[in-house]
Amino acid sequence: MGGADAGGHDNTANGDNTANGDNTANGDNTANRDNTATAVHAAGSPDTVVAWAPGRVNLIGDHTDYAGGLVLPMAIDLGTTVRFDRGGTHLRLRSGRRRPLSLDLPVAGSVARSLSDLEPSWGRFVAAAAIEVGATIGGDGEISTTLPVGAGLSSSASLELAVALALGFDGSPLELARLGQRAEHAASGVPCGIMDQLAIAAGTTGHALLIDCATERYQPVVIPDTVEVWVLHSGVKRRLADSAYAERRAATEAAAEVVGPLAQANLDDIESIPDPVLRRRARHVRSECDRVQRFAAALATDDPTTAGELMEASHASLRDDFEVSVSQLDELVVALSARPEVFGARLTGAGFGGCVVALARPGSNLSGVGSAAWLVRASDGARQITG
Ligand code: GLA
């Protein structure tokens, strides 16, 4: 979808990742990671700004963030680099060989009012971030990424946060995440929650982040070394994701009007919601929040078997109650679950296509599963590298 995952827009900025090497990754793509930022840093002048933001994968807790529920994503070691030589009031950014973005700062007038008309379309996320930062000093440079496109790994949130940092944002991870969320709403029109941006802003190496989206409090949860995290693409580009996402969110809000905040709602109350669709949507949110809590506990006690079972249950709930899966995602989950080295798998992110996340034994090779596969590691959050 255009929102959380940049899948719905022209992903030139996020999509042209050839500069960083081949990240189709069927296997070990670690060689490409973080190298861009490091190399640019070494070559940078004092006036060169470089910022990097990871993508994220959600281990469990989908379609709960905007309902004030729990989520457990992690920032990953694939991400977006923004680099430019600072100066002037114009921002010119290239991405691959496509048409560059050219913006006058501060972004104002018709550009700010109709972001959805801005071309190239990835520039909408850049412009929205520039508006939120209130940037007045621009520059000339480029954007590159190691993130796969349209995969549910939050390439647009990664882009927005990297741009905000490059343009001089200075504040806490939560403030950065909120800024990114506002930029996402403005650029894509998708009413996303805070999960993606907060995971990207506040990530910690070796940890997932347990976020209570009602309070926006978060705490790191160690990922034990008895598991590795894989992301497998279903091969399906996400379809109808933007409108369906907004529709799902509206349904959870309608259900919450009947039974109160869904994350804590009484189960009997949920089962007595008259409308069967709202009842299913509410049941998913409530049960998913429970699963997030139990999953975090399973990680803390190094119990990957239970964690894997919870992932399977999460997928079933997203498929049956929330109805955001597609057959290719279901088949991928079944294929992965049949493998002895996999503890569990589920769709990750908004659904409607995109990727599955799997928890596997260390040393597993899932590179032949799905249309592309990435072994990902929990990474630190977004940061400015120079400037
Ligand atoms: C997208 C949104 C997030 C979240 C997920 C589903 O990634 O951007 O806020 O709602 O979908 O969990």
Side-chain angles (χ1 to χ4, degrees):
M1 54 188 254
D5 167 37
H9 64 81
D10 164 2
N11 288 301
T12 312
N14 302 329
D16 183 356
N17 47 22
T18 51
N20 301 324
D22 176 8
N23 72 350
T24 51
N26 297 318
D28 184 1
N29 56 7
T30 51
N32 301 326
R33 299 180 181 179
D34 280 342
N35 286 358
T36 310
T38 312
V40 172
H41 186 183
S45 74
D47 291 332
T48 301
V49 186
V50 185
W52 188 83
R56 70 97 187 90
V57 65
N58 191 20
L59 297 178
I60 194 161
D62 271 310
H63 290 281
T64 50
D65 62 348
Y66 51 75
L70 301 175
V71 294
L72 193 73
M74 68 183 214
I76 60 176
D77 52 343
L78 302 170
T80 309
T81 303
V82 177
R83 169 202 187 282
F84 60 85
D85 294 326
R86 184 165 32 202
T89 57
H90 196 79
L91 181 63
R92 186 179 161 82
L93 291 173
R94 288 168 298 282
S95 178
R97 288 191 295 274
R98 308 280 188 92
R99 174 177 159 186
L101 172 71
S102 207
L103 280 179
D104 287 321
L105 298 178
V107 178
S110 60
V111 178
R113 280 193 300 278
S114 57
L115 281 179
S116 57
D117 296 333
L118 186 68
E119 296 292 342
S121 55
W122 56 264
R124 296 166 196 172
F125 299 93
V126 175
I131 291 168
E132 288 296 334
V133 172
T136 52
I137 301 177
D140 193 307
E142 63 201 2
I143 292 174
S144 58
T145 186
T146 49
L147 279 168
V149 175
L153 300 182
S154 294
S155 53
S156 67
S158 173
L159 173 60
E160 287 152 354
L161 268 58
V163 167
L165 287 167
L167 288 175
F169 169 84
D170 188 17
S172 70
L174 181 55
E175 286 163 346
L176 178 62
R178 287 181 178 149
L179 180 154
Q181 186 188 23
R182 290 194 300 273
E184 183 72 44
H185 290 175
S188 71
V190 175
C192 66
I194 193 77
M195 169 172 74
D196 305 343
Q197 292 81 7
L198 196 46
I200 289 170
T204 309
T205 296
H207 295 72
L209 217 57
L210 177 60
I211 306 172
D212 179 342
C213 299
T215 59
E216 295 181 332
R217 291 219 179 104
Y218 54 90
Q219 65 185 81
V221 176
V222 169
I223 300 190
D225 55 14
T226 46
V227 298
E228 281 180 349
V229 179
W230 282 79
V231 177
L232 302 308
H233 205 296
S234 66
V236 181
K237 253 196 117 137
R238 303 199 303 169
R239 295 179 299 234
L240 299 174
D242 292 1
S243 57
Y245 183 94
E247 185 274 325
R248 293 300 189 282
R249 179 171 180 156
T252 63
E253 286 164 3
E257 278 175 22
V258 183
V259 296
L262 296 185
Q264 298 87 34
N266 180 290
L267 286 176
D268 292 336
D269 290 350
I270 287 177
E271 291 310 324
S272 56
I273 294 175
D275 181 311
V277 173
L278 293 194
R279 193 188 315 144
R280 289 202 300 276
R281 305 293 187 255
R283 192 195 292 142
H284 164 74
V285 173
R286 176 67 169 79
S287 63
E288 185 80 346
C289 291
D290 284 353
R291 284 186 288 271
V292 174
Q293 241 160 2
R294 289 163 57 205
F295 186 99
L299 286 190
T301 54
D302 198 3
D303 179 2
T305 304
T306 300
E309 286 165 6
L310 290 163
M311 291 172 87
E312 308 276 334
S314 169
H315 184 80
S317 178
L318 287 159
R319 181 192 61 210
D320 301 335
D321 279 344
F322 220 68
E323 297 177 281
V324 292
S325 191
V326 294
S327 60
Q328 292 88 341
L329 286 168
D330 298 341
E331 285 157 19
L332 200 45
V333 168
V334 168
L336 285 160
S337 307
R339 299 174 76 111
E341 69 272 39
V342 173
F343 295 109
R346 59 184 287 281
L347 74 80
T348 184
F352 307 105
C355 284
V356 160
V357 59
L359 213 58
R361 290 182 204 284
S364 303
N365 184 358
L366 302 182
S367 55
V369 189
S371 66
W374 297 266
L375 171 62
V376 293
R377 290 184 192 84
S379 140
D380 278 339
R383 55 201 176 270
Q384 203 179 81
I385 296 166
T386 63

